[in-house]
Amino acid sequence: MTDSPTTPAPAPDAEVLRKRALTALLTARERTTLLTESVDDHELISQHSPLMSPLVWDLAHIGNQEELWLLRGVAGREAMRPEIDGLYDAFEHPRASRPSLPLLPPAEARSYAAEVRDRALDVLDSTALTGGRPLVEAGFAFGMIAQHEQQHDETMLITHQLRSGPAALTAPEPPRPTDAAGLPAEVLVPGGRFTMGTSTEPWALDNERPAHVREVPGFFIDTAPVTCGAYERFIEDGGYTERRWWAPEGWAMVRRHELTAPLFWHRDAGQWLRRRFGVTEPVPADEPVLHVSWYEADAYARWAGRRLPSEAEWEKAARHDPVSERSRRYPWGDDDPSPERANLGQRHLRPAPAGAYPAGRSPLGVRQLIGDVWEWTSSDFLPYPGFAPFPYREYSEVFFGPDHKVLRGGSFAVDAVACRGTFRNWDLPVRRQIFSGFRTARDL
Protein backbone atom coordinates (compact mmCIF):
# COMPACT_ATOMS: atom_id res chain seq x y z
CA MET A 1 0.00 0.00 0.00
CA THR A 2 1.34 3.43 -0.87
CA ASP A 3 0.48 6.79 0.52
CA SER A 4 -0.25 9.61 -1.88
CA PRO A 5 1.54 12.93 -1.36
CA THR A 6 -0.19 15.80 0.35
CA THR A 7 -2.70 17.29 -2.07
CA PRO A 8 -1.48 20.73 -3.17
CA ALA A 9 -3.82 23.51 -2.13
CA PRO A 10 -4.98 25.95 -4.82
CA ALA A 11 -2.57 28.86 -5.05
CA PRO A 12 -4.05 31.81 -3.14
CA ASP A 13 -4.08 35.19 -4.82
CA ALA A 14 -1.69 37.93 -3.81
CA GLU A 15 -4.17 39.84 -1.66
CA VAL A 16 -5.06 36.73 0.36
CA LEU A 17 -1.35 36.14 0.93
CA ARG A 18 -0.82 39.78 1.87
CA LYS A 19 -3.64 39.68 4.41
CA ARG A 20 -2.33 36.44 5.90
CA ALA A 21 1.17 37.89 6.25
CA LEU A 22 -0.13 41.10 7.78
CA THR A 23 -2.22 39.22 10.33
CA ALA A 24 0.73 37.00 11.27
CA LEU A 25 3.07 39.96 11.73
CA LEU A 26 0.58 41.98 13.79
CA THR A 27 -0.31 38.99 15.96
CA ALA A 28 3.36 38.37 16.72
CA ARG A 29 4.02 41.99 17.59
CA GLU A 30 1.01 42.15 19.90
CA ARG A 31 2.43 39.21 21.83
CA THR A 32 5.94 40.67 21.89
CA THR A 33 4.51 43.85 23.36
CA LEU A 34 2.68 41.94 26.09
CA LEU A 35 5.81 40.02 27.06
CA THR A 36 8.04 43.09 27.20
CA GLU A 37 5.62 45.58 28.75
CA SER A 38 4.40 43.33 31.55
CA VAL A 39 7.66 43.87 33.44
CA ASP A 40 9.67 47.00 34.23
CA ASP A 41 12.87 48.13 32.52
CA HIS A 42 15.07 46.65 35.21
CA GLU A 43 13.64 43.21 34.51
CA LEU A 44 14.00 43.75 30.78
CA ILE A 45 17.75 44.32 31.05
CA SER A 46 18.34 41.63 33.71
CA GLN A 47 19.45 38.12 32.84
CA HIS A 48 17.06 35.83 34.71
CA SER A 49 19.03 32.71 33.80
CA PRO A 50 22.36 32.12 32.01
CA LEU A 51 20.36 29.85 29.70
CA MET A 52 18.40 32.82 28.38
CA SER A 53 19.01 36.30 26.97
CA PRO A 54 17.83 39.47 28.67
CA LEU A 55 14.36 40.22 27.35
CA VAL A 56 15.61 43.47 25.85
CA TRP A 57 18.08 41.54 23.68
CA ASP A 58 15.22 39.46 22.23
CA LEU A 59 13.23 42.62 21.54
CA ALA A 60 15.96 44.31 19.52
CA HIS A 61 17.00 41.03 17.88
CA ILE A 62 13.44 40.63 16.58
CA GLY A 63 13.67 44.08 15.02
CA ASN A 64 17.14 43.45 13.63
CA GLN A 65 16.15 40.21 11.90
CA GLU A 66 13.09 41.91 10.45
CA GLU A 67 15.30 44.66 9.10
CA LEU A 68 17.84 42.21 7.66
CA TRP A 69 15.30 40.07 5.82
CA LEU A 70 12.43 42.39 4.91
CA LEU A 71 14.01 45.83 4.52
CA ARG A 72 17.41 44.82 3.21
CA GLY A 73 16.73 41.35 1.79
CA VAL A 74 13.33 41.88 0.17
CA ALA A 75 13.31 45.64 -0.49
CA GLY A 76 17.06 46.15 -1.00
CA ARG A 77 17.19 49.15 1.33
CA GLU A 78 20.22 50.54 3.10
CA ALA A 79 20.88 49.38 6.66
CA MET A 80 19.25 51.46 9.37
CA ARG A 81 21.66 50.56 12.17
CA PRO A 82 24.53 48.50 10.68
CA GLU A 83 26.61 48.99 13.82
CA ILE A 84 24.24 46.81 15.88
CA ASP A 85 24.14 43.80 13.56
CA GLY A 86 26.90 42.03 15.46
CA LEU A 87 25.28 42.65 18.85
CA TYR A 88 22.15 40.80 17.78
CA ASP A 89 23.79 37.97 15.86
CA ALA A 90 22.74 34.86 17.79
CA PHE A 91 25.72 32.89 16.49
CA GLU A 92 28.28 35.52 17.39
CA HIS A 93 27.31 35.89 21.05
CA PRO A 94 26.08 33.00 23.25
CA ARG A 95 23.21 33.78 25.59
CA ALA A 96 25.30 33.78 28.75
CA SER A 97 27.47 36.63 27.44
CA ARG A 98 24.76 38.90 26.06
CA PRO A 99 24.21 40.99 29.24
CA SER A 100 27.79 42.27 28.92
CA LEU A 101 27.18 43.67 25.43
CA PRO A 102 26.36 47.37 24.81
CA LEU A 103 22.73 46.53 24.07
CA LEU A 104 20.12 49.09 23.12
CA PRO A 105 18.30 50.22 26.28
CA PRO A 106 14.57 49.38 26.49
CA ALA A 107 13.18 52.64 25.10
CA GLU A 108 15.61 52.62 22.18
CA ALA A 109 15.00 48.93 21.48
CA ARG A 110 11.25 49.54 21.38
CA SER A 111 11.68 52.53 19.09
CA TYR A 112 13.99 50.62 16.73
CA ALA A 113 11.66 47.61 16.49
CA ALA A 114 8.66 49.88 15.89
CA GLU A 115 10.40 51.85 13.15
CA VAL A 116 11.49 48.65 11.42
CA ARG A 117 7.93 47.36 11.59
CA ASP A 118 6.47 50.52 10.07
CA ARG A 119 8.86 50.25 7.14
CA ALA A 120 8.32 46.50 6.82
CA LEU A 121 4.57 46.98 6.45
CA ASP A 122 5.26 49.41 3.62
CA VAL A 123 7.41 46.74 1.99
CA LEU A 124 4.62 44.20 2.39
CA ASP A 125 2.16 46.57 0.69
CA SER A 126 4.44 47.12 -2.30
CA THR A 127 5.93 43.65 -2.86
CA ALA A 128 4.62 41.19 -5.43
CA LEU A 129 4.04 37.90 -3.57
CA THR A 130 3.61 35.62 -6.57
CA GLY A 131 5.73 34.87 -9.60
CA GLY A 132 8.86 36.40 -8.17
CA ARG A 133 11.95 35.39 -6.21
CA PRO A 134 11.77 32.31 -3.97
CA LEU A 135 12.33 34.55 -0.93
CA VAL A 136 9.02 36.35 -1.49
CA GLU A 137 7.00 33.70 -3.32
CA ALA A 138 3.72 33.16 -1.42
CA GLY A 139 4.94 35.73 1.10
CA PHE A 140 7.61 33.37 2.44
CA ALA A 141 9.95 36.03 3.86
CA PHE A 142 7.10 37.70 5.72
CA GLY A 143 5.90 34.36 7.07
CA MET A 144 9.43 33.45 8.08
CA ILE A 145 9.79 36.69 10.04
CA ALA A 146 6.41 36.19 11.75
CA GLN A 147 7.51 32.69 12.74
CA HIS A 148 10.86 34.00 13.93
CA GLU A 149 9.20 36.59 16.15
CA GLN A 150 6.78 34.03 17.58
CA GLN A 151 9.68 31.67 18.30
CA HIS A 152 11.38 34.44 20.27
CA ASP A 153 8.09 35.14 22.01
CA GLU A 154 8.15 31.54 23.18
CA THR A 155 11.74 32.04 24.30
CA MET A 156 10.72 35.16 26.20
CA LEU A 157 7.87 33.25 27.83
CA ILE A 158 10.45 30.72 29.04
CA THR A 159 12.36 33.66 30.53
CA HIS A 160 9.16 34.74 32.30
CA GLN A 161 8.92 31.25 33.78
CA LEU A 162 12.55 31.40 34.95
CA ARG A 163 12.31 34.86 36.52
CA SER A 164 11.71 35.19 40.25
CA GLY A 165 9.09 37.40 41.82
CA PRO A 166 5.31 37.66 41.55
CA ALA A 167 3.33 36.74 38.47
CA ALA A 168 3.52 39.23 35.60
CA LEU A 169 1.23 37.38 33.19
CA THR A 170 -2.30 36.04 33.46
CA ALA A 171 -4.51 33.93 31.20
CA PRO A 172 -7.73 31.91 31.51
CA GLU A 173 -7.63 28.22 32.33
CA PRO A 174 -7.66 25.75 29.42
CA PRO A 175 -10.75 23.61 28.82
CA ARG A 176 -11.17 20.34 30.66
CA PRO A 177 -12.00 17.17 28.72
CA THR A 178 -15.48 15.74 29.10
CA ASP A 179 -14.74 12.19 27.97
CA ALA A 180 -11.19 11.51 29.16
CA ALA A 181 -12.28 8.70 31.49
CA GLY A 182 -13.42 6.60 28.55
CA LEU A 183 -10.35 7.05 26.37
CA PRO A 184 -8.09 4.09 25.62
CA ALA A 185 -4.57 4.36 27.01
CA GLU A 186 -3.02 3.83 23.59
CA VAL A 187 -3.89 3.74 19.90
CA LEU A 188 -2.71 1.33 17.20
CA VAL A 189 -1.10 3.01 14.20
CA PRO A 190 -1.06 0.42 11.38
CA GLY A 191 2.15 -0.21 9.49
CA GLY A 192 2.78 0.99 5.96
CA ARG A 193 3.98 3.89 3.90
CA PHE A 194 3.10 7.54 4.41
CA THR A 195 4.28 10.88 3.11
CA MET A 196 6.47 12.71 5.62
CA GLY A 197 7.42 16.37 5.35
CA THR A 198 6.05 18.81 2.81
CA SER A 199 6.77 20.29 -0.58
CA THR A 200 3.59 22.36 -0.73
CA GLU A 201 3.25 24.24 2.59
CA PRO A 202 4.22 27.79 1.53
CA TRP A 203 5.74 28.92 4.84
CA ALA A 204 7.36 25.61 5.80
CA LEU A 205 11.02 25.95 6.76
CA ASP A 206 13.85 24.15 5.05
CA ASN A 207 14.13 21.26 7.52
CA GLU A 208 10.47 20.30 6.86
CA ARG A 209 11.24 19.77 3.16
CA PRO A 210 10.96 17.92 0.87
CA ALA A 211 8.00 15.56 1.11
CA HIS A 212 9.15 11.96 0.90
CA VAL A 213 7.69 8.52 1.50
CA ARG A 214 8.57 6.61 4.68
CA GLU A 215 7.82 2.99 5.55
CA VAL A 216 6.81 2.74 9.20
CA PRO A 217 6.01 -0.62 10.87
CA GLY A 218 2.86 -0.74 12.97
CA PHE A 219 3.12 0.50 16.55
CA PHE A 220 1.09 1.65 19.54
CA ILE A 221 1.25 5.24 20.79
CA ASP A 222 -0.21 6.90 23.87
CA THR A 223 -3.58 8.52 23.28
CA ALA A 224 -2.44 11.59 25.25
CA PRO A 225 0.87 12.89 26.60
CA VAL A 226 2.24 11.36 29.81
CA THR A 227 0.70 13.09 32.82
CA CYS A 228 2.23 14.52 35.98
CA GLY A 229 0.44 11.82 37.96
CA ALA A 230 2.01 9.06 35.90
CA TYR A 231 5.39 10.74 36.19
CA GLU A 232 5.00 10.96 39.97
CA ARG A 233 4.67 7.17 40.06
CA PHE A 234 7.99 6.94 38.25
CA ILE A 235 9.56 9.23 40.86
CA GLU A 236 8.05 7.35 43.80
CA ASP A 237 9.27 4.04 42.35
CA GLY A 238 12.85 5.30 42.53
CA GLY A 239 13.04 6.63 38.98
CA TYR A 240 15.79 9.11 39.82
CA THR A 241 17.77 6.64 41.94
CA GLU A 242 17.79 3.59 39.62
CA ARG A 243 20.65 3.80 37.16
CA ARG A 244 19.20 1.04 34.96
CA TRP A 245 16.54 3.32 33.48
CA TRP A 246 18.93 6.00 32.28
CA ALA A 247 21.17 6.55 29.30
CA PRO A 248 24.76 6.98 30.61
CA GLU A 249 24.81 10.71 29.87
CA GLY A 250 21.41 11.13 31.49
CA TRP A 251 22.49 9.31 34.63
CA ALA A 252 25.57 11.53 34.82
CA MET A 253 23.28 14.58 34.57
CA VAL A 254 21.06 13.27 37.38
CA ARG A 255 24.03 12.64 39.65
CA ARG A 256 25.85 15.88 38.84
CA HIS A 257 22.82 18.10 39.45
CA GLU A 258 21.17 15.90 42.12
CA LEU A 259 17.92 15.79 40.18
CA THR A 260 14.86 14.28 41.84
CA ALA A 261 11.94 15.61 39.76
CA PRO A 262 11.10 17.81 36.75
CA LEU A 263 12.35 21.38 36.75
CA PHE A 264 10.33 23.74 39.00
CA TRP A 265 8.97 20.86 41.16
CA HIS A 266 9.68 20.56 44.87
CA ARG A 267 8.26 18.47 47.67
CA ASP A 268 6.66 20.07 50.72
CA ALA A 269 4.80 18.30 53.55
CA GLY A 270 4.48 15.15 51.49
CA GLN A 271 3.06 16.92 48.44
CA TRP A 272 4.61 17.80 45.11
CA LEU A 273 4.39 21.51 44.32
CA ARG A 274 5.58 23.48 41.32
CA ARG A 275 6.28 27.08 40.45
CA ARG A 276 4.48 28.30 37.34
CA PHE A 277 4.93 31.89 36.16
CA GLY A 278 5.38 33.25 39.66
CA VAL A 279 2.69 31.11 41.34
CA THR A 280 3.36 28.07 43.54
CA GLU A 281 0.68 25.40 43.21
CA PRO A 282 0.11 21.66 43.69
CA VAL A 283 1.27 19.60 40.73
CA PRO A 284 -1.91 18.69 38.79
CA ALA A 285 -2.07 14.92 38.36
CA ASP A 286 -4.09 14.99 35.12
CA GLU A 287 -2.00 17.58 33.27
CA PRO A 288 0.79 16.57 30.85
CA VAL A 289 4.16 16.65 32.57
CA LEU A 290 6.26 19.66 31.62
CA HIS A 291 9.89 20.77 31.85
CA VAL A 292 11.51 17.38 31.45
CA SER A 293 14.66 16.70 29.46
CA TRP A 294 14.99 14.07 26.76
CA TYR A 295 16.94 11.95 29.24
CA GLU A 296 14.07 12.10 31.74
CA ALA A 297 11.51 11.24 29.07
CA ASP A 298 13.65 8.33 27.87
CA ALA A 299 14.15 7.04 31.42
CA TYR A 300 10.42 7.17 32.14
CA ALA A 301 9.67 5.27 28.94
CA ARG A 302 12.16 2.53 29.86
CA TRP A 303 10.70 2.31 33.36
CA ALA A 304 7.21 1.95 31.86
CA GLY A 305 8.38 -0.85 29.55
CA ARG A 306 7.92 1.37 26.52
CA ARG A 307 9.96 3.78 24.43
CA LEU A 308 9.80 7.23 22.90
CA PRO A 309 8.28 7.31 19.40
CA SER A 310 10.53 8.08 16.49
CA GLU A 311 9.97 11.30 14.62
CA ALA A 312 8.48 9.40 11.68
CA GLU A 313 6.12 7.51 14.00
CA TRP A 314 5.00 10.75 15.62
CA GLU A 315 4.29 12.39 12.27
CA LYS A 316 2.44 9.38 10.93
CA ALA A 317 0.24 9.32 14.05
CA ALA A 318 -0.39 13.03 13.60
CA ARG A 319 -0.93 13.34 9.84
CA HIS A 320 -1.74 10.04 8.15
CA ASP A 321 -5.39 9.47 7.24
CA PRO A 322 -5.87 5.72 6.68
CA VAL A 323 -9.16 6.30 4.83
CA SER A 324 -7.94 8.75 2.19
CA GLU A 325 -4.35 7.43 2.30
CA ARG A 326 -2.93 10.96 2.40
CA SER A 327 -1.05 13.14 4.85
CA ARG A 328 -3.05 15.99 6.35
CA ARG A 329 -1.63 19.36 7.41
CA TYR A 330 -2.85 18.76 10.97
CA PRO A 331 -4.32 15.81 12.89
CA TRP A 332 -7.87 17.14 12.39
CA GLY A 333 -7.47 17.94 8.69
CA ASP A 334 -6.19 20.78 6.54
CA ASP A 335 -7.94 23.71 8.24
CA ASP A 336 -5.87 26.09 10.36
CA PRO A 337 -5.77 25.64 14.15
CA SER A 338 -8.62 27.05 16.21
CA PRO A 339 -9.24 27.38 19.97
CA GLU A 340 -11.46 24.28 19.85
CA ARG A 341 -8.73 22.14 18.29
CA ALA A 342 -5.48 22.98 20.06
CA ASN A 343 -3.90 24.86 22.96
CA LEU A 344 -1.61 27.30 21.15
CA GLY A 345 -0.55 30.93 21.14
CA GLN A 346 -0.21 31.59 24.87
CA ARG A 347 -4.00 31.58 25.04
CA HIS A 348 -3.52 29.68 28.29
CA LEU A 349 -0.42 29.55 30.49
CA ARG A 350 -0.45 25.81 31.01
CA PRO A 351 -1.23 22.58 29.18
CA ALA A 352 -4.82 21.38 29.16
CA PRO A 353 -5.58 18.15 31.06
CA ALA A 354 -4.75 14.96 29.20
CA GLY A 355 -7.49 13.99 26.79
CA ALA A 356 -8.67 17.53 26.07
CA TYR A 357 -9.48 18.95 22.63
CA PRO A 358 -11.47 16.08 21.09
CA ALA A 359 -12.00 18.27 18.00
CA GLY A 360 -8.25 18.15 17.43
CA ARG A 361 -7.84 14.38 17.50
CA SER A 362 -6.21 12.49 14.64
CA PRO A 363 -8.15 10.10 12.36
CA LEU A 364 -7.02 7.22 14.62
CA GLY A 365 -8.10 9.05 17.79
CA VAL A 366 -4.76 10.32 19.13
CA ARG A 367 -5.23 13.57 21.07
CA GLN A 368 -3.22 16.71 21.81
CA LEU A 369 -0.62 16.07 19.13
CA ILE A 370 -0.65 19.80 18.39
CA GLY A 371 -0.20 22.26 21.26
CA ASP A 372 0.00 21.79 25.04
CA VAL A 373 3.57 20.40 25.27
CA TRP A 374 6.47 19.88 22.91
CA GLU A 375 6.96 16.13 22.65
CA TRP A 376 10.42 14.58 22.69
CA THR A 377 11.00 11.87 20.09
CA SER A 378 13.75 9.28 19.95
CA SER A 379 15.19 10.77 16.76
CA ASP A 380 18.30 12.81 16.15
CA PHE A 381 17.83 16.03 14.18
CA LEU A 382 18.82 15.05 10.63
CA PRO A 383 18.06 16.36 7.13
CA TYR A 384 15.41 14.75 4.98
CA PRO A 385 16.49 13.13 1.68
CA GLY A 386 16.93 15.93 -0.82
CA PHE A 387 17.28 18.66 1.82
CA ALA A 388 18.44 22.05 0.55
CA PRO A 389 19.20 24.95 2.92
CA PHE A 390 16.97 27.99 2.41
CA PRO A 391 17.26 30.88 2.81
CA TYR A 392 20.37 30.47 5.00
CA ARG A 393 22.19 27.40 6.25
CA GLU A 394 22.35 28.57 9.87
CA TYR A 395 18.63 28.01 10.37
CA SER A 396 18.86 24.20 10.29
CA GLU A 397 21.93 22.73 8.65
CA VAL A 398 24.47 23.67 11.32
CA PHE A 399 22.41 21.80 13.95
CA PHE A 400 22.08 18.50 12.10
CA GLY A 401 23.64 15.51 13.82
CA PRO A 402 23.42 13.37 16.96
CA ASP A 403 23.80 16.23 19.45
CA HIS A 404 20.20 17.43 19.09
CA LYS A 405 16.95 15.51 19.57
CA VAL A 406 13.74 16.31 17.72
CA LEU A 407 10.63 17.61 19.45
CA ARG A 408 7.25 17.70 17.74
CA GLY A 409 3.79 19.17 18.09
CA GLY A 410 4.31 22.56 19.70
CA SER A 411 3.20 23.70 23.14
CA PHE A 412 0.77 26.19 24.66
CA ALA A 413 3.56 28.74 24.15
CA VAL A 414 3.75 28.24 20.37
CA ASP A 415 1.70 30.29 17.94
CA ALA A 416 -0.17 28.59 15.13
CA VAL A 417 2.00 30.31 12.51
CA ALA A 418 5.00 28.36 13.86
CA CYS A 419 3.26 25.03 14.37
CA ARG A 420 2.28 22.49 11.72
CA GLY A 421 2.07 18.73 11.45
CA THR A 422 5.42 18.92 9.65
CA PHE A 423 7.09 21.46 11.95
CA ARG A 424 10.34 20.25 13.53
CA ASN A 425 11.88 21.61 16.71
CA TRP A 426 15.16 20.43 18.15
CA ASP A 427 17.21 20.88 21.29
CA LEU A 428 19.96 19.38 23.38
CA PRO A 429 18.79 16.32 25.36
CA VAL A 430 19.68 18.02 28.67
CA ARG A 431 17.27 20.93 28.17
CA ARG A 432 14.56 21.26 30.84
CA GLN A 433 13.54 24.93 30.80
CA ILE A 434 11.66 24.49 27.52
CA PHE A 435 7.95 23.61 27.51
CA SER A 436 8.69 19.97 26.85
CA GLY A 437 6.80 16.79 27.66
CA PHE A 438 6.38 13.48 25.84
CA ARG A 439 4.26 10.48 25.06
CA THR A 440 5.42 6.88 24.76
CA ALA A 441 5.09 4.14 22.18
CA ARG A 442 5.65 0.41 21.86
CA ASP A 443 6.17 -2.11 19.08
CA LEU A 444 3.41 -4.45 17.94
Side-chain angles (χ1 to χ4, degrees):
M1 181 182 297
T2 60
D3 186 42
S4 59
T6 304
T7 303
D13 64 34
E15 292 315 305
V16 171
L17 291 168
R18 209 177 310 280
K19 183 177 179 181
R20 182 188 177 203
L22 176 63
T23 299
L25 290 167
L26 295 179
T27 299
R29 187 52 50 89
E30 182 179 1
R31 186 177 175 197
T32 300
T33 301
L34 171 66
L35 290 163
T36 54
E37 292 191 352
S38 56
V39 293
D40 61 26
D41 284 1
H42 174 73
E43 295 219 48
L44 284 178
I45 64 175
S46 298
Q47 186 173 47
H48 299 280
S49 165
L51 296 171
M52 311 305 291
S53 309
L55 291 169
V56 75
W57 185 93
D58 287 285
L59 176 59
H61 170 78
I62 286 168
N64 187 245
Q65 288 296 295
E66 188 165 335
E67 185 197 345
L68 286 170
W69 287 102
L70 300 187
L71 303 189
R72 303 186 210 175
V74 172
R77 298 184 181 181
E78 292 294 319
M80 291 171 55
R81 299 284 300 270
E83 76 279 3
I84 69 171
D85 287 352
L87 296 177
Y88 298 103
D89 185 331
F91 287 89
E92 189 171 333
H93 301 288
R95 288 174 174 174
S97 69
R98 290 171 190 169
S100 64
L101 300 174
L103 303 177
L104 299 183
E108 194 172 349
R110 288 191 183 98
S111 177
Y112 169 65
E115 185 176 357
V116 170
R117 172 52 56 87
D118 286 344
R119 298 185 186 190
L121 295 183
D122 289 340
V123 173
L124 175 61
D125 283 342
S126 60
T127 300
L129 303 183
T130 57
R133 294 172 291 161
L135 185 62
V136 295
E137 183 66 31
F140 176 82
F142 301 94
M144 178 183 73
I145 286 301
Q147 291 178 80
H148 173 265
E149 182 163 354
Q150 287 285 5
Q151 288 168 331
H152 275 272
D153 288 342
E154 181 182 7
T155 299
M156 289 194 285
L157 189 61
I158 293 171
T159 301
H160 272 268
Q161 168 64 7
L162 287 163
R163 63 178 281 274
S164 59
L169 301 169
T170 60
E173 294 296 294
R176 298 194 63 81
T178 57
D179 59 349
L183 292 176
E186 61 182 4
V187 170
L188 171 64
V189 180
R193 294 155 68 87
F194 90 105
T195 299
M196 186 172 183
T198 181
S199 297
T200 60
E201 188 72 35
W203 290 358
L205 303 169
D206 58 5
N207 62 70
E208 302 171 63
R209 302 172 182 271
H212 58 287
V213 175
R214 290 281 183 100
E215 180 78 32
V216 178
F219 64 99
F220 287 94
I221 192 167
D222 291 339
T223 301
V226 170
T227 64
C228 295
Y231 200 86
E232 281 187 42
R233 292 191 286 276
F234 166 65
I235 297 171
E236 300 304 330
D237 197 42
Y240 283 83
T241 61
E242 291 281 351
R243 182 173 186 167
R244 57 182 167 150
W245 307 127
W246 296 83
E249 299 86 351
W251 181 246
M253 179 187 73
V254 168
R255 303 294 289 174
R256 182 169 60 253
H257 299 289
E258 300 181 339
L259 303 184
T260 60
L263 186 61
F264 306 115
W265 286 31
H266 70 277
R267 197 150 178 93
D268 184 56
Q271 181 183 28
W272 283 108
L273 304 176
R274 72 176 181 186
R275 183 170 58 81
R276 182 178 61 87
F277 298 110
V279 176
T280 298
E281 61 189 12
V283 170
D286 61 351
E287 190 174 293
V289 68
L290 197 61
H291 297 300
V292 289
S293 67
W294 183 90
Y295 291 124
E296 289 165 293
D298 178 64
Y300 173 95
R302 294 171 191 247
W303 169 82
R306 299 170 69 83
R307 58 177 175 79
L308 296 178
S310 70
E311 183 181 12
E313 288 174 331
W314 188 97
E315 187 168 323
K316 184 172 186 181
R319 298 185 63 216
H320 179 65
D321 182 353
V323 175
S324 66
E325 290 294 323
R326 60 178 290 269
S327 291
R328 300 170 161 195
R329 294 179 69 210
Y330 300 98
W332 55 82
D334 294 336
D335 293 337
D336 289 338
S338 66
E340 297 76 31
R341 293 178 175 133
N343 182 5
L344 292 168
Q346 202 180 310
R347 189 178 298 114
H348 311 290
L349 285 172
R350 65 195 304 163
Y357 297 101
R361 65 186 180 274
S362 76
L364 295 172
V366 189
R367 298 201 182 186
Q368 292 169 284
L369 286 156
I370 298 292
D372 287 305
V373 295
W374 283 110
E375 298 183 19
W376 288 110
T377 72
S378 64
S379 299
D380 297 337
F381 184 48
L382 300 172
Y384 289 161
F387 167 83
F390 177 78
Y392 61 109
R393 56 183 299 274
E394 287 81 8
Y395 181 76
S396 301
E397 190 174 34
V398 297
F399 297 102
F400 288 146
D403 292 341
H404 294 86
K405 294 293 186 180
V406 174
L407 302 102
R408 287 302 206 103
S411 73
F412 66 88
V414 177
D415 187 79
V417 75
C419 189
R420 297 170 285 278
T422 58
F423 192 92
R424 307 172 75 196
N425 189 10
W426 66 94
D427 216 325
L428 299 171
V430 298
R431 289 288 186 250
R432 309 173 84 214
Q433 82 276 14
I434 60 177
F435 299 113
S436 53
F438 64 99
R439 71 181 75 215
T440 67
R442 67 179 175 94
D443 298 336
L444 283 178

